[in-house]
Amino acid sequence: MGAYYDEIEIEDMAWDEEKRVYHYPCPCGDRFEISRLQLKNYEDIATCPSCSLIIRVIYDPLDYEDDSSEDEDDGEAEEAEDEDEEDEDEEDEDDQFEDALEKLHISEEAPVVVSVAA
């Protein structure tokens, strides 16, 4: 997409603690807005809710890579549940791995070749 109104560095935008977005004045009188979650998801387009103008936000995605999803309060509980499930899955995989090692038997015998007619 090449029809940006402007390209603005994130440092030139203001953080709105109440709405939890970065904003920048739009010529229509409203503000371009982009959330930290959008930035974390490598989205660099800030939109104006009142008109069709958009700006490209210049920022370093690595600065937002480890951000917790503060924008999504409901998402935190879901993420915690997902992490718990992932931990359980990892434990199951570890158990399977340990069982496989216990059953592993290495012999000095040459492998037997078996042919099967189809």
Side-chain angles (χ1 to χ4, degrees), residues 3-103:
Y4 306 118
Y5 169 71
D6 204 352
E7 292 186 352
I8 305 296
E9 292 189 18
I10 192 74
E11 292 84 10
D12 295 332
M13 299 182 79
W15 174 249
D16 184 337
E17 188 66 37
E18 185 176 314
K19 292 180 81 176
R20 316 240 0 116
V21 294
Y22 287 99
H23 62 86
Y24 188 81
C26 179
C28 76
D30 206 345
R31 311 182 301 183
F32 295 102
E33 298 179 345
I34 191 165
S35 69
R36 292 179 71 87
L37 183 60
Q38 288 174 295
L39 295 169
K40 178 182 176 184
N41 291 331
Y42 303 99
E43 297 175 30
D44 63 351
I45 305 300
T47 58
C48 175
S50 298
C51 71
S52 62
L53 292 178
I54 59 174
I55 59 173
R56 181 169 181 257
V57 179
I58 310 297
Y59 74 106
D60 184 0
L62 297 178
D63 291 342
Y64 299 90
E65 191 174 63
D66 297 330
D67 247 10
S68 63
S69 58
E70 295 172 359
D71 296 336
E72 302 293 328
D73 293 336
D74 296 336
E76 289 180 13
E78 291 175 11
E79 287 178 16
E81 289 175 10
D82 290 343
E83 288 176 8
D84 291 341
E85 289 175 10
E86 288 175 11
D87 291 342
E88 289 174 9
D89 290 343
E90 288 176 9
E91 289 173 7
D92 291 342
E93 290 174 9
D94 291 342
D95 291 342
Q96 291 174 356
F97 183 72
E98 290 172 9
D99 291 342
L101 284 177
E102 291 173 3
K103 295 177 182 178

